[in-house]
Amino acid sequence: MPLFGNSFSPKKTPPRKWASLSNLHLLDRSTREVELGLEYGTPTMNLAGQSLKFENGHWVSESGGFVGDRRELQRLRKRNQQLEEENNLLRLKVDILLDMLSETTAESHLMEKELEELKQHSRRKK
């Protein structure tokens, strides 16, 4: 029996008559975008004095011209290719080392098991 009684007994709230009083759900998508400000446009940024916009998955200069030096771009692409090839070679080496490690571990476990069996067999003979 509680000391002060059960003073907390909230009343049930009555169900709402209308889910929403807003008429925006009745509007078509384009009108909603205008009303709610959902039209963002293309993302733009300014880097080193160059204005860029994001179109079709790539950053493009707003002036339409080429951004940067062509020789620098070629050098970066060549360096990127070299790094990708080096990365692939290193991944291959890691895979080979992991295979070698798993093989050596399996052989070690087999040898330990054989050693234990030989120890048990020699104890039985004594």
Side-chain angles (χ1 to χ4, degrees), residues 41-99:
T42 59
T44 58
M45 71 175 164
N46 190 0
L47 286 177
Q50 289 284 339
S51 183
L52 303 170
K53 61 183 176 179
F54 193 75
E55 288 183 352
N56 300 326
H58 299 286
W59 288 99
V60 181
S61 173
E62 283 190 344
S63 63
F66 180 75
V67 179
D69 185 18
R70 289 195 187 273
R71 281 180 272 152
E72 180 70 15
L73 183 61
Q74 268 185 331
R75 187 187 66 76
L76 289 174
R77 283 186 178 157
K78 186 176 180 180
R79 179 69 177 146
N80 188 25
Q81 180 68 26
Q82 289 173 347
L83 290 173
E84 284 179 357
E85 289 173 2
E86 183 181 350
N87 192 18
N88 289 337
L89 177 67
L90 291 173
R91 285 184 184 184
L92 180 65
K93 286 182 178 182
V94 166
D95 286 342
I96 290 171
L97 286 172
L98 286 174
D99 288 344

Side-chain angles (χ1 to χ4, degrees), residues 98-112:
L98 286 174
D99 288 344
M100 291 170 62
L101 178 66
S102 60
E103 183 180 344
T104 305
T105 304
E107 287 176 0
S108 171
H109 285 301
L110 284 174
M111 287 181 176
E112 287 177 4

